[in-house]
Amino acid sequence: DNYFDYWGKGTSVTVTSATKTPPTSLLAAHACAPSSDGFLTLGCVTSGFFPADEAKFKWSGGAVSDVVQYPAVQTGSTYTVVSQARVKYTDWKAMTPFKCSVEHSGPSSPLEQGIEPTKPVVIPQEYVTLTKPTHVELDSGTATFICVATRFLP
């Protein structure tokens, strides 16, 4: 008999006495600007878990599309995995909050991380004023200029 006839090609079996370990961290991030098709990419990374196939991402919030979960990468005795999703930039600009969560069958509740757009900081328009010399100064061949800067941030 051929064992592949029973298990099938690509079937992975892991036999271990190691304890299932839930993720220890979850970090979320977003791209700074949308892509040319009007979407913004969001990402989440979780690490510190075992075994590799136990971490599953879920995305929620506005309309989330093109969700990808990449294969886990081993670092020492634990794993790290990344997921990304795309959202409409119009939803992002409308201040729609998004959330990624990761579930694991180890002894813990799911980890969740919000990804929210921040309101842009409005910096007041700075003003720079340069005074003109007086006619008396010009007639005497000397001139005094005063530069005044207001409403600026260091």
PDB file of all heavy atoms in Angstrom, residues 69-100:
ATOM      1  N   GLN A  69      -4.307  35.756   4.720  1.00  0.00           N
ATOM      2  CA  GLN A  69      -3.519  35.335   5.883  1.00  0.00           C
ATOM      3  C   GLN A  69      -2.339  34.561   5.339  1.00  0.00           C
ATOM      4  O   GLN A  69      -2.508  33.532   4.686  1.00  0.00           O
ATOM      5  CB  GLN A  69      -4.332  34.476   6.856  1.00  0.00           C
ATOM      6  CG  GLN A  69      -3.495  34.062   8.055  1.00  0.00           C
ATOM      7  CD  GLN A  69      -4.311  33.460   9.185  1.00  0.00           C
ATOM      8  OE1 GLN A  69      -5.450  33.811   9.402  1.00  0.00           O
ATOM      9  NE2 GLN A  69      -3.706  32.538   9.917  1.00  0.00           N
ATOM     10  N   TYR A  70      -1.153  35.067   5.596  1.00  0.00           N
ATOM     11  CA  TYR A  70       0.052  34.443   5.080  1.00  0.00           C
ATOM     12  C   TYR A  70       0.445  33.255   5.952  1.00  0.00           C
ATOM     13  O   TYR A  70       0.040  33.165   7.103  1.00  0.00           O
ATOM     14  CB  TYR A  70       1.186  35.470   5.012  1.00  0.00           C
ATOM     15  CG  TYR A  70       0.896  36.554   4.005  1.00  0.00           C
ATOM     16  CD1 TYR A  70       0.333  37.765   4.393  1.00  0.00           C
ATOM     17  CD2 TYR A  70       1.132  36.346   2.657  1.00  0.00           C
ATOM     18  CE1 TYR A  70       0.035  38.745   3.467  1.00  0.00           C
ATOM     19  CE2 TYR A  70       0.839  37.319   1.715  1.00  0.00           C
ATOM     20  CZ  TYR A  70       0.284  38.514   2.129  1.00  0.00           C
ATOM     21  OH  TYR A  70      -0.016  39.478   1.212  1.00  0.00           O
ATOM     22  N   PRO A  71       1.241  32.335   5.426  1.00  0.00           N
ATOM     23  CA  PRO A  71       1.692  31.194   6.235  1.00  0.00           C
ATOM     24  C   PRO A  71       2.521  31.654   7.442  1.00  0.00           C
ATOM     25  O   PRO A  71       3.248  32.642   7.371  1.00  0.00           O
ATOM     26  CB  PRO A  71       2.555  30.377   5.265  1.00  0.00           C
ATOM     27  CG  PRO A  71       2.114  30.799   3.904  1.00  0.00           C
ATOM     28  CD  PRO A  71       1.693  32.233   4.033  1.00  0.00           C
ATOM     29  N   ALA A  72       2.370  30.936   8.532  1.00  0.00           N
ATOM     30  CA  ALA A  72       3.106  31.259   9.760  1.00  0.00           C
ATOM     31  C   ALA A  72       4.596  30.987   9.567  1.00  0.00           C
ATOM     32  O   ALA A  72       4.987  30.074   8.840  1.00  0.00           O
ATOM     33  CB  ALA A  72       2.564  30.436  10.922  1.00  0.00           C
ATOM     34  N   VAL A  73       5.405  31.798  10.228  1.00  0.00           N
ATOM     35  CA  VAL A  73       6.853  31.675  10.179  1.00  0.00           C
ATOM     36  C   VAL A  73       7.341  31.336  11.582  1.00  0.00           C
ATOM     37  O   VAL A  73       6.951  31.980  12.556  1.00  0.00           O
ATOM     38  CB  VAL A  73       7.498  32.995   9.702  1.00  0.00           C
ATOM     39  CG1 VAL A  73       9.013  32.909   9.749  1.00  0.00           C
ATOM     40  CG2 VAL A  73       7.019  33.348   8.312  1.00  0.00           C
ATOM     41  N   GLN A  74       8.206  30.334  11.663  1.00  0.00           N
ATOM     42  CA  GLN A  74       8.701  29.894  12.964  1.00  0.00           C
ATOM     43  C   GLN A  74       9.889  30.731  13.410  1.00  0.00           C
ATOM     44  O   GLN A  74      10.796  31.017  12.636  1.00  0.00           O
ATOM     45  CB  GLN A  74       9.100  28.422  12.929  1.00  0.00           C
ATOM     46  CG  GLN A  74       9.431  27.862  14.295  1.00  0.00           C
ATOM     47  CD  GLN A  74       9.599  26.355  14.279  1.00  0.00           C
ATOM     48  OE1 GLN A  74       9.625  25.732  13.233  1.00  0.00           O
ATOM     49  NE2 GLN A  74       9.691  25.769  15.459  1.00  0.00           N
ATOM     50  N   THR A  75       9.849  31.140  14.682  1.00  0.00           N
ATOM     51  CA  THR A  75      10.952  31.829  15.327  1.00  0.00           C
ATOM     52  C   THR A  75      11.187  31.129  16.648  1.00  0.00           C
ATOM     53  O   THR A  75      10.405  31.277  17.578  1.00  0.00           O
ATOM     54  CB  THR A  75      10.617  33.311  15.578  1.00  0.00           C
ATOM     55  OG1 THR A  75      10.217  33.916  14.358  1.00  0.00           O
ATOM     56  CG2 THR A  75      11.809  34.049  16.149  1.00  0.00           C
ATOM     57  N   GLY A  76      12.225  30.332  16.719  1.00  0.00           N
ATOM     58  CA  GLY A  76      12.457  29.527  17.923  1.00  0.00           C
ATOM     59  C   GLY A  76      11.387  28.457  18.032  1.00  0.00           C
ATOM     60  O   GLY A  76      11.138  27.707  17.094  1.00  0.00           O
ATOM     61  N   SER A  77      10.693  28.427  19.161  1.00  0.00           N
ATOM     62  CA  SER A  77       9.665  27.406  19.363  1.00  0.00           C
ATOM     63  C   SER A  77       8.252  27.926  19.138  1.00  0.00           C
ATOM     64  O   SER A  77       7.282  27.215  19.372  1.00  0.00           O
ATOM     65  CB  SER A  77       9.781  26.842  20.781  1.00  0.00           C
ATOM     66  OG  SER A  77       9.578  27.886  21.720  1.00  0.00           O
ATOM     67  N   THR A  78       8.111  29.198  18.703  1.00  0.00           N
ATOM     68  CA  THR A  78       6.788  29.761  18.453  1.00  0.00           C
ATOM     69  C   THR A  78       6.699  30.290  17.026  1.00  0.00           C
ATOM     70  O   THR A  78       7.676  30.290  16.282  1.00  0.00           O
ATOM     71  CB  THR A  78       6.461  30.885  19.452  1.00  0.00           C
ATOM     72  OG1 THR A  78       7.415  31.940  19.286  1.00  0.00           O
ATOM     73  CG2 THR A  78       6.467  30.371  20.889  1.00  0.00           C
ATOM     74  N   TYR A  79       5.513  30.790  16.683  1.00  0.00           N
ATOM     75  CA  TYR A  79       5.254  31.234  15.319  1.00  0.00           C
ATOM     76  C   TYR A  79       4.751  32.670  15.283  1.00  0.00           C
ATOM     77  O   TYR A  79       4.203  33.178  16.261  1.00  0.00           O
ATOM     78  CB  TYR A  79       4.220  30.321  14.658  1.00  0.00           C
ATOM     79  CG  TYR A  79       4.763  28.952  14.347  1.00  0.00           C
ATOM     80  CD1 TYR A  79       4.734  27.940  15.291  1.00  0.00           C
ATOM     81  CD2 TYR A  79       5.323  28.680  13.097  1.00  0.00           C
ATOM     82  CE1 TYR A  79       5.246  26.681  15.013  1.00  0.00           C
ATOM     83  CE2 TYR A  79       5.839  27.423  12.805  1.00  0.00           C
ATOM     84  CZ  TYR A  79       5.792  26.434  13.762  1.00  0.00           C
ATOM     85  OH  TYR A  79       6.302  25.203  13.484  1.00  0.00           O
ATOM     86  N   THR A  80       4.919  33.281  14.112  1.00  0.00           N
ATOM     87  CA  THR A  80       4.414  34.617  13.820  1.00  0.00           C
ATOM     88  C   THR A  80       3.644  34.528  12.513  1.00  0.00           C
ATOM     89  O   THR A  80       4.066  33.831  11.584  1.00  0.00           O
ATOM     90  CB  THR A  80       5.575  35.621  13.659  1.00  0.00           C
ATOM     91  OG1 THR A  80       6.292  35.681  14.896  1.00  0.00           O
ATOM     92  CG2 THR A  80       5.081  37.003  13.284  1.00  0.00           C
ATOM     93  N   VAL A  81       2.518  35.240  12.440  1.00  0.00           N
ATOM     94  CA  VAL A  81       1.729  35.228  11.212  1.00  0.00           C
ATOM     95  C   VAL A  81       1.171  36.630  10.967  1.00  0.00           C
ATOM     96  O   VAL A  81       0.927  37.397  11.894  1.00  0.00           O
ATOM     97  CB  VAL A  81       0.598  34.164  11.269  1.00  0.00           C
ATOM     98  CG1 VAL A  81      -0.470  34.547  12.267  1.00  0.00           C
ATOM     99  CG2 VAL A  81       0.000  33.912   9.897  1.00  0.00           C
ATOM    100  N   VAL A  82       0.987  36.942   9.678  1.00  0.00           N
ATOM    101  CA  VAL A  82       0.513  38.252   9.244  1.00  0.00           C
ATOM    102  C   VAL A  82      -0.761  38.083   8.432  1.00  0.00           C
ATOM    103  O   VAL A  82      -0.890  37.137   7.646  1.00  0.00           O
ATOM    104  CB  VAL A  82       1.586  38.960   8.376  1.00  0.00           C
ATOM    105  CG1 VAL A  82       1.056  40.246   7.777  1.00  0.00           C
ATOM    106  CG2 VAL A  82       2.837  39.204   9.178  1.00  0.00           C
ATOM    107  N   SER A  83      -1.685  39.019   8.608  1.00  0.00           N
ATOM    108  CA  SER A  83      -2.884  39.071   7.783  1.00  0.00           C
ATOM    109  C   SER A  83      -3.037  40.495   7.272  1.00  0.00           C
ATOM    110  O   SER A  83      -2.647  41.447   7.950  1.00  0.00           O
ATOM    111  CB  SER A  83      -4.126  38.686   8.591  1.00  0.00           C
ATOM    112  OG  SER A  83      -5.290  38.791   7.787  1.00  0.00           O
ATOM    113  N   GLN A  84      -3.582  40.625   6.089  1.00  0.00           N
ATOM    114  CA  GLN A  84      -3.865  41.955   5.568  1.00  0.00           C
ATOM    115  C   GLN A  84      -5.249  41.970   4.951  1.00  0.00           C
ATOM    116  O   GLN A  84      -5.771  40.939   4.538  1.00  0.00           O
ATOM    117  CB  GLN A  84      -2.815  42.421   4.561  1.00  0.00           C
ATOM    118  CG  GLN A  84      -2.891  41.753   3.210  1.00  0.00           C
ATOM    119  CD  GLN A  84      -1.846  42.306   2.247  1.00  0.00           C
ATOM    120  OE1 GLN A  84      -0.738  42.636   2.642  1.00  0.00           O
ATOM    121  NE2 GLN A  84      -2.209  42.385   0.983  1.00  0.00           N
ATOM    122  N   ALA A  85      -5.836  43.151   4.921  1.00  0.00           N
ATOM    123  CA  ALA A  85      -7.156  43.342   4.333  1.00  0.00           C
ATOM    124  C   ALA A  85      -7.153  44.694   3.637  1.00  0.00           C
ATOM    125  O   ALA A  85      -6.356  45.574   3.962  1.00  0.00           O
ATOM    126  CB  ALA A  85      -8.235  43.293   5.405  1.00  0.00           C
ATOM    127  N   ARG A  86      -8.059  44.834   2.688  1.00  0.00           N
ATOM    128  CA  ARG A  86      -8.175  46.108   1.983  1.00  0.00           C
ATOM    129  C   ARG A  86      -9.551  46.702   2.274  1.00  0.00           C
ATOM    130  O   ARG A  86     -10.538  45.981   2.357  1.00  0.00           O
ATOM    131  CB  ARG A  86      -7.972  45.911   0.487  1.00  0.00           C
ATOM    132  CG  ARG A  86      -6.529  45.576   0.159  1.00  0.00           C
ATOM    133  CD  ARG A  86      -6.262  45.136  -1.269  1.00  0.00           C
ATOM    134  NE  ARG A  86      -7.099  45.590  -2.314  1.00  0.00           N
ATOM    135  CZ  ARG A  86      -6.810  46.605  -3.159  1.00  0.00           C
ATOM    136  NH1 ARG A  86      -5.684  47.267  -3.011  1.00  0.00           N
ATOM    137  NH2 ARG A  86      -7.634  46.944  -4.115  1.00  0.00           N
ATOM    138  N   VAL A  87      -9.574  48.032   2.450  1.00  0.00           N
ATOM    139  CA  VAL A  87     -10.823  48.741   2.711  1.00  0.00           C
ATOM    140  C   VAL A  87     -10.920  49.922   1.758  1.00  0.00           C
ATOM    141  O   VAL A  87      -9.896  50.445   1.298  1.00  0.00           O
ATOM    142  CB  VAL A  87     -10.909  49.223   4.179  1.00  0.00           C
ATOM    143  CG1 VAL A  87     -10.855  48.038   5.133  1.00  0.00           C
ATOM    144  CG2 VAL A  87      -9.814  50.215   4.512  1.00  0.00           C
ATOM    145  N   LYS A  88     -12.137  50.340   1.478  1.00  0.00           N
ATOM    146  CA  LYS A  88     -12.315  51.506   0.620  1.00  0.00           C
ATOM    147  C   LYS A  88     -11.774  52.732   1.339  1.00  0.00           C
ATOM    148  O   LYS A  88     -12.065  52.958   2.508  1.00  0.00           O
ATOM    149  CB  LYS A  88     -13.791  51.711   0.290  1.00  0.00           C
ATOM    150  CG  LYS A  88     -14.364  50.655  -0.602  1.00  0.00           C
ATOM    151  CD  LYS A  88     -15.823  50.942  -0.886  1.00  0.00           C
ATOM    152  CE  LYS A  88     -16.405  49.857  -1.765  1.00  0.00           C
ATOM    153  NZ  LYS A  88     -17.835  50.076  -1.993  1.00  0.00           N
ATOM    154  N   TYR A  89     -11.006  53.524   0.605  1.00  0.00           N
ATOM    155  CA  TYR A  89     -10.428  54.716   1.209  1.00  0.00           C
ATOM    156  C   TYR A  89     -11.518  55.700   1.625  1.00  0.00           C
ATOM    157  O   TYR A  89     -11.364  56.424   2.601  1.00  0.00           O
ATOM    158  CB  TYR A  89      -9.422  55.368   0.259  1.00  0.00           C
ATOM    159  CG  TYR A  89      -8.637  56.480   0.900  1.00  0.00           C
ATOM    160  CD1 TYR A  89      -7.818  56.217   1.995  1.00  0.00           C
ATOM    161  CD2 TYR A  89      -8.723  57.785   0.444  1.00  0.00           C
ATOM    162  CE1 TYR A  89      -7.090  57.230   2.615  1.00  0.00           C
ATOM    163  CE2 TYR A  89      -7.997  58.802   1.046  1.00  0.00           C
ATOM    164  CZ  TYR A  89      -7.192  58.522   2.127  1.00  0.00           C
ATOM    165  OH  TYR A  89      -6.478  59.522   2.729  1.00  0.00           O
ATOM    166  N   THR A  90     -12.646  55.708   0.915  1.00  0.00           N
ATOM    167  CA  THR A  90     -13.753  56.584   1.303  1.00  0.00           C
ATOM    168  C   THR A  90     -14.291  56.190   2.674  1.00  0.00           C
ATOM    169  O   THR A  90     -14.664  57.048   3.464  1.00  0.00           O
ATOM    170  CB  THR A  90     -14.886  56.540   0.259  1.00  0.00           C
ATOM    171  OG1 THR A  90     -15.256  55.173   0.028  1.00  0.00           O
ATOM    172  CG2 THR A  90     -14.453  57.174  -1.054  1.00  0.00           C
ATOM    173  N   ASP A  91     -14.333  54.877   2.987  1.00  0.00           N
ATOM    174  CA  ASP A  91     -14.740  54.437   4.325  1.00  0.00           C
ATOM    175  C   ASP A  91     -13.724  54.904   5.358  1.00  0.00           C
ATOM    176  O   ASP A  91     -14.080  55.327   6.455  1.00  0.00           O
ATOM    177  CB  ASP A  91     -14.865  52.912   4.396  1.00  0.00           C
ATOM    178  CG  ASP A  91     -16.074  52.389   3.652  1.00  0.00           C
ATOM    179  OD1 ASP A  91     -16.951  53.194   3.283  1.00  0.00           O
ATOM    180  OD2 ASP A  91     -16.135  51.165   3.429  1.00  0.00           O
ATOM    181  N   TRP A  92     -12.461  54.796   5.025  1.00  0.00           N
ATOM    182  CA  TRP A  92     -11.403  55.204   5.940  1.00  0.00           C
ATOM    183  C   TRP A  92     -11.498  56.698   6.232  1.00  0.00           C
ATOM    184  O   TRP A  92     -11.442  57.126   7.382  1.00  0.00           O
ATOM    185  CB  TRP A  92     -10.053  54.849   5.331  1.00  0.00           C
ATOM    186  CG  TRP A  92      -8.879  55.141   6.223  1.00  0.00           C
ATOM    187  CD1 TRP A  92      -8.030  56.194   6.131  1.00  0.00           C
ATOM    188  CD2 TRP A  92      -8.431  54.353   7.331  1.00  0.00           C
ATOM    189  NE1 TRP A  92      -7.076  56.119   7.114  1.00  0.00           N
ATOM    190  CE2 TRP A  92      -7.301  54.995   7.865  1.00  0.00           C
ATOM    191  CE3 TRP A  92      -8.872  53.180   7.911  1.00  0.00           C
ATOM    192  CZ2 TRP A  92      -6.601  54.506   8.949  1.00  0.00           C
ATOM    193  CZ3 TRP A  92      -8.173  52.681   9.001  1.00  0.00           C
ATOM    194  CH2 TRP A  92      -7.060  53.336   9.511  1.00  0.00           C
ATOM    195  N   LYS A  93     -11.658  57.510   5.180  1.00  0.00           N
ATOM    196  CA  LYS A  93     -11.753  58.958   5.361  1.00  0.00           C
ATOM    197  C   LYS A  93     -13.010  59.342   6.137  1.00  0.00           C
ATOM    198  O   LYS A  93     -13.043  60.380   6.781  1.00  0.00           O
ATOM    199  CB  LYS A  93     -11.738  59.675   4.008  1.00  0.00           C
ATOM    200  CG  LYS A  93     -10.377  59.717   3.390  1.00  0.00           C
ATOM    201  CD  LYS A  93     -10.247  60.591   2.149  1.00  0.00           C
ATOM    202  CE  LYS A  93     -11.493  61.021   1.489  1.00  0.00           C
ATOM    203  NZ  LYS A  93     -11.311  61.761   0.251  1.00  0.00           N
ATOM    204  N   ALA A  94     -14.042  58.498   6.084  1.00  0.00           N
ATOM    205  CA  ALA A  94     -15.281  58.762   6.821  1.00  0.00           C
ATOM    206  C   ALA A  94     -15.147  58.370   8.297  1.00  0.00           C
ATOM    207  O   ALA A  94     -16.141  58.345   9.017  1.00  0.00           O
ATOM    208  CB  ALA A  94     -16.447  58.019   6.171  1.00  0.00           C
ATOM    209  N   MET A  95     -13.928  58.041   8.734  1.00  0.00           N
ATOM    210  CA  MET A  95     -13.618  57.704  10.127  1.00  0.00           C
ATOM    211  C   MET A  95     -14.253  56.383  10.574  1.00  0.00           C
ATOM    212  O   MET A  95     -14.582  56.198  11.739  1.00  0.00           O
ATOM    213  CB  MET A  95     -14.028  58.846  11.072  1.00  0.00           C
ATOM    214  CG  MET A  95     -13.418  60.206  10.711  1.00  0.00           C
ATOM    215  SD  MET A  95     -11.621  60.206  10.596  1.00  0.00           S
ATOM    216  CE  MET A  95     -11.185  60.149  12.310  1.00  0.00           C
ATOM    217  N   THR A  96     -14.435  55.454   9.643  1.00  0.00           N
ATOM    218  CA  THR A  96     -14.972  54.136   9.984  1.00  0.00           C
ATOM    219  C   THR A  96     -13.906  53.348  10.744  1.00  0.00           C
ATOM    220  O   THR A  96     -12.798  53.189  10.244  1.00  0.00           O
ATOM    221  CB  THR A  96     -15.360  53.368   8.704  1.00  0.00           C
ATOM    222  OG1 THR A  96     -16.304  54.137   7.972  1.00  0.00           O
ATOM    223  CG2 THR A  96     -15.945  52.008   9.038  1.00  0.00           C
ATOM    224  N   PRO A  97     -14.231  52.842  11.948  1.00  0.00           N
ATOM    225  CA  PRO A  97     -13.247  52.032  12.675  1.00  0.00           C
ATOM    226  C   PRO A  97     -13.229  50.595  12.150  1.00  0.00           C
ATOM    227  O   PRO A  97     -14.265  50.049  11.771  1.00  0.00           O
ATOM    228  CB  PRO A  97     -13.735  52.080  14.122  1.00  0.00           C
ATOM    229  CG  PRO A  97     -15.197  52.320  14.017  1.00  0.00           C
ATOM    230  CD  PRO A  97     -15.419  53.102  12.751  1.00  0.00           C
ATOM    231  N   PHE A  98     -12.065  49.995  12.133  1.00  0.00           N
ATOM    232  CA  PHE A  98     -11.903  48.603  11.726  1.00  0.00           C
ATOM    233  C   PHE A  98     -11.234  47.852  12.870  1.00  0.00           C
ATOM    234  O   PHE A  98     -10.616  48.453  13.739  1.00  0.00           O
ATOM    235  CB  PHE A  98     -11.061  48.500  10.456  1.00  0.00           C
ATOM    236  CG  PHE A  98     -11.734  49.110   9.259  1.00  0.00           C
ATOM    237  CD1 PHE A  98     -11.550  50.449   8.955  1.00  0.00           C
ATOM    238  CD2 PHE A  98     -12.563  48.351   8.454  1.00  0.00           C
ATOM    239  CE1 PHE A  98     -12.184  51.025   7.872  1.00  0.00           C
ATOM    240  CE2 PHE A  98     -13.202  48.915   7.361  1.00  0.00           C
ATOM    241  CZ  PHE A  98     -13.008  50.258   7.078  1.00  0.00           C
ATOM    242  N   LYS A  99     -11.363  46.540  12.852  1.00  0.00           N
ATOM    243  CA  LYS A  99     -10.774  45.744  13.922  1.00  0.00           C
ATOM    244  C   LYS A  99     -10.289  44.428  13.354  1.00  0.00           C
ATOM    245  O   LYS A  99     -10.950  43.810  12.526  1.00  0.00           O
ATOM    246  CB  LYS A  99     -11.827  45.485  14.997  1.00  0.00           C
ATOM    247  CG  LYS A  99     -11.300  44.716  16.189  1.00  0.00           C
ATOM    248  CD  LYS A  99     -12.251  44.632  17.363  1.00  0.00           C
ATOM    249  CE  LYS A  99     -13.691  44.536  17.050  1.00  0.00           C
ATOM    250  NZ  LYS A  99     -14.551  44.354  18.212  1.00  0.00           N
ATOM    251  N   CYS A 100      -9.109  43.998  13.810  1.00  0.00           N
ATOM    252  CA  CYS A 100      -8.660  42.656  13.497  1.00  0.00           C
ATOM    253  C   CYS A 100      -8.578  41.901  14.819  1.00  0.00           C
ATOM    254  O   CYS A 100      -8.257  42.480  15.861  1.00  0.00           O
ATOM    255  CB  CYS A 100      -7.336  42.636  12.743  1.00  0.00           C
ATOM    256  SG  CYS A 100      -5.882  42.980  13.710  1.00  0.00           S
TER     257      CYS A 100
END
